[in-house]
Amino acid sequence: MHTLPPARTYNQSHVARKHDRRRRMSIYWTWSYPWESQRDAEELDNRFSTMTEVRRVAWPAYETPEWDEANFLQGIAGTLELFHRSTLAFQELAGEATGHPVAVFQRVDQAGYKQPIDERILADTDTMMVFGLDHVLGQEEAQPEEVAAIREWLKREGTCLLLAPHHDVGFTDDMQQREVEYQHHGDPLVPRQQRFTAYMRSLMTALDVPINNKWGLRPAVVEGTNNIAPLTAFRDLDTPRLLDNVTTFNFHPHLPHYELIAPESDSVRVLGRQRIDPNRPHPFTEAGNIEFNALIWMPPADDRAGDIVMVDSTNFTTLFGGTDSLKNLWHNLATMK
């Protein structure tokens, strides 16, 4: 007997989840959906692609009726909805592992409601996943009240703040370097300059997270295949066991390097590095680097009882493929002690 998928709901107030010792996970998109979706499509830089551009590049992947103008948004809004839909597989796995639905929030949603990170969404959340995909140009900023609420929440045992700032491509005025970066990542949907994320950077500064999201780097692949090269994992440092049965992350053409702006130490541990494509020149590799920081863990410290984890948001989406290894990462995060 065919089982129908659950009915879809939209634009309703959040229903709090009861505490039962299992993790309650929430996703927070840092963008203003109206600001991002209404960017001028004639602008070359610092905007998401329109659905028309996605269809042209990914042809014929989106040429079936469910993606036409009668059934799906065709502008930038359609691309933002692809991001939302791409996390459904993660939400399903996490829901099964925890017994709780994953709550999803946006800083400003489609209906224009603004939702800062405050006690209304922190009270029934144990793992808060902050997906930093607001463009720097949008000038989103973590407010003092939000920072205070997050600091207070992190005093609670068992909390985990996952910060996922995305890439910063073409941050220079040097047009030649922008072109080198563009040729390196090779994604025609990412412009010569696409800078993320003003909100996350302000939040990291306020929370004393000594990390900067930099570049947009293309991972190396296993020679002769399209499979991403194995992760360089530092399992002896991985006390929360995030990397149990995890050998690779997601292949994505432009992943951020999480640059440490303080020395690596017991309080800031790089748990995973990703090898960079050696066949595509880039300023970062020309400086002698062969890997970038892909997973960082900050254990509890001082009055912070909760963990801080940094890993890119594309590792929780299915837009760029997925692997069993990635599902193991999802499960490890969902069942983190």
Side-chain angles (χ1 to χ4, degrees), residues 199-268:
Y199 179 86
M200 188 72 83
R201 287 180 170 181
S202 69
L203 183 61
M204 290 191 296
T205 298
L207 293 177
D208 302 315
V209 175
I211 293 160
N212 182 41
N213 62 307
K214 195 171 184 182
W215 306 114
L217 298 162
R218 189 180 185 97
V221 296
V222 177
E223 191 170 350
T225 76
N226 292 321
N227 299 323
I228 189 170
L231 192 71
T232 301
F234 302 96
R235 302 182 190 278
D236 56 322
L237 303 176
D238 184 20
T239 306
R241 302 182 67 170
L242 292 169
L243 292 175
D244 277 10
N245 299 311
V246 176
T247 54
T248 57
F249 278 176
N250 205 4
F251 181 85
H252 183 74
H254 27 84
L255 289 165
H257 167 53
Y258 290 149
E259 178 185 50
L260 299 183
I261 51 179
E264 189 174 352
S265 65
D266 281 344
S267 61
V268 184

Side-chain angles (χ1 to χ4, degrees), residues 68-256:
D68 69 19
E69 63 275 6
N71 293 294
F72 199 76
L73 295 163
Q74 297 299 299
I76 292 173
T79 301
L80 298 187
E81 292 303 330
L82 288 182
F83 279 99
H84 279 305
R85 291 171 72 132
S86 72
T87 64
L88 292 178
F90 163 73
Q91 292 177 51
E92 181 180 1
L93 183 147
E96 290 176 356
T98 65
H100 294 293
V102 176
V104 181
F105 304 96
Q106 298 176 89
R107 189 154 185 77
V108 184
D109 71 11
Q110 293 92 325
Y113 290 105
K114 186 164 186 174
Q115 176 61 67
I117 298 180
D118 60 23
E119 61 275 7
R120 289 174 294 174
I121 60 178
L122 292 172
D124 78 316
T125 296
D126 303 303
T127 299
M128 171 60 76
M129 307 172 70
V130 186
F131 288 175
L133 278 163
D134 61 291
H135 282 88
V136 169
L137 205 60
Q139 298 182 312
E140 293 288 341
E141 188 170 345
Q143 297 303 302
E145 298 82 3
E146 292 179 280
V147 176
I150 294 169
R151 283 189 180 277
E152 188 63 31
W153 173 74
L154 281 168
K155 292 178 182 177
R156 194 175 88 204
E157 291 282 347
T159 52
C160 176
L161 179 65
L162 184 143
L163 301 176
H166 200 32
H167 63 237
D168 188 1
V169 167
F171 54 80
T172 176
D173 289 332
D174 183 337
M175 296 297 183
Q176 185 175 358
Q177 180 179 311
R178 287 193 195 178
E179 180 63 14
V180 169
E181 290 184 52
Y182 179 80
Q183 294 299 330
H184 170 80
H185 67 68
D187 184 349
L189 290 173
V190 169
R192 266 67 175 180
Q193 185 181 75
Q194 187 174 45
R195 306 196 64 192
F196 299 109
T197 138
Y199 179 86
M200 188 72 83
R201 287 180 170 181
S202 69
L203 183 61
M204 290 191 296
T205 298
L207 293 177
D208 302 315
V209 175
I211 293 160
N212 182 41
N213 62 307
K214 195 171 184 182
W215 306 114
L217 298 162
R218 189 180 185 97
V221 296
V222 177
E223 191 170 350
T225 76
N226 292 321
N227 299 323
I228 189 170
L231 192 71
T232 301
F234 302 96
R235 302 182 190 278
D236 56 322
L237 303 176
D238 184 20
T239 306
R241 302 182 67 170
L242 292 169
L243 292 175
D244 277 10
N245 299 311
V246 176
T247 54
T248 57
F249 278 176
N250 205 4
F251 181 85
H252 183 74
H254 27 84
L255 289 165

